[in-house]
Amino acid sequence: MTDVFLGLDGEMTGATMQPPGAKPNFQRYALVQIGLADLYVNEIDETLYGRKPEPHWFLATIGHNTFDKEDEAMAVHGIPEDVIRGAARPAEVDSLAVKWMEENGIRKAIPVGYSVGSFDMPYFRETLPELSRRLSMRQVDLNGVVFTISKITGRSYKAVKAAGKNYAEKAIRENTSMTTDVGFKAHNAAYDALVAIYSWEFFRNILVVREFHDHF
């Protein structure tokens, strides 16, 4: 079975590191928006017609009655507190996300994103257990990819990351209709999920591996 990779992103009500002995952040702050993104490839169409992967994405805001928050984190994603309190509850979003995966023929997927395993996934596992069962314990952390390319090329981490992001934003403009929505931008979870999966496509395309077959 071919592995399926999903861009994944979450927006939270807080982000700072907790002090030693304190409750983990994923049990203190709330996951309030999630985004998933898939670059679906129809191999027949790609071979015969040269078609590009088709982007599919899922976006949902998650409601909570009460939650701890940090003003800086709230300002970053810009989701008002009344919107959070009025949004669909975690169990409903959990069900909708699994339904989206099933409708797109995805049984299980490997998450892709920046710090996706260390930061996002603990919140997903705490808040969305059914979706999390569909997500592999293995993840593609794009920070590692960027650091690797930076080391190989001698370019700075920021320059390599910016190149991937620029590619992704151009692909989103060209391949989706969501750019007409003023809210579909950085720190919208679906937008960031698409940036992640397109950035990984860019990084894979520029990596050059020579004579690796003798080592496997």
Side-chain angles (χ1 to χ4, degrees), residues 148-161:
T148 300
I149 296 174
S150 175
K151 186 67 174 177
I152 292 170
T153 62
R155 301 294 181 91
S156 71
Y157 174 93
K158 288 184 178 180
V160 175
K161 183 177 179 180

Side-chain angles (χ1 to χ4, degrees), residues 55-59 172-185 188 190-191 194:
H56 298 149
W57 62 90
F58 174 84
L59 174 68
I172 291 170
R173 289 195 302 270
E174 293 178 348
N175 300 326
T176 80
S177 61
M178 295 297 285
T179 50
T180 58
D181 182 346
V182 294
F184 200 67
K185 57 186 179 181
N188 169 290
Y191 184 90
L194 277 167

Side-chain angles (χ1 to χ4, degrees), residues 28-193:
R28 177 185 174 193
Y29 300 120
L31 174 64
V32 293
Q33 191 178 75
I34 67 166
L36 305 171
D38 173 43
L39 294 186
Y40 170 74
V41 178
N42 183 322
E43 293 181 355
I44 295 177
D45 284 353
E46 183 181 46
T47 301
L48 294 178
Y49 309 113
R51 292 183 181 174
K52 296 179 180 179
E54 180 180 351
H56 298 149
W57 62 90
F58 174 84
L59 174 68
T61 301
I62 304 173
H64 304 270
N65 291 326
T66 60
F67 46 88
D68 287 350
K69 63 183 176 67
E70 294 176 333
D71 291 340
E72 184 177 356
M74 296 293 288
V76 166
H77 57 67
I79 304 171
E81 292 185 41
D82 61 331
V83 171
I84 295 171
R85 292 192 173 92
R89 286 333 193 224
E92 182 179 351
V93 174
D94 203 11
S95 177
L96 289 172
V98 169
K99 181 181 179 183
W100 175 84
M101 288 183 68
E102 291 176 344
E103 289 174 347
N104 286 281
I106 303 170
R107 186 183 65 82
K108 196 172 182 69
I110 298 171
V112 178
Y114 289 94
S115 300
V116 66
S118 59
F119 184 71
D120 296 275
M121 283 306 301
Y123 283 92
F124 276 65
R125 295 190 187 100
E126 181 75 12
T127 310
L128 307 169
E130 296 304 319
L131 172 62
S132 296
R133 291 188 182 95
R134 301 289 192 104
L135 300 173
S136 174
M137 293 294 290
R138 300 173 294 164
Q139 295 98 28
V140 177
D141 186 334
L142 295 177
N143 290 303
V145 178
V146 173
F147 279 121
T148 300
I149 296 174
S150 175
K151 186 67 174 177
I152 292 170
T153 62
R155 301 294 181 91
S156 71
Y157 174 93
K158 288 184 178 180
V160 175
K161 183 177 179 180
K165 182 179 179 181
N166 290 340
Y167 172 91
E169 290 178 341
K170 182 175 185 290
I172 291 170
R173 289 195 302 270
E174 293 178 348
N175 300 326
T176 80
S177 61
M178 295 297 285
T179 50
T180 58
D181 182 346
V182 294
F184 200 67
K185 57 186 179 181
H187 303 297
N188 169 290
Y191 184 90
D192 286 349

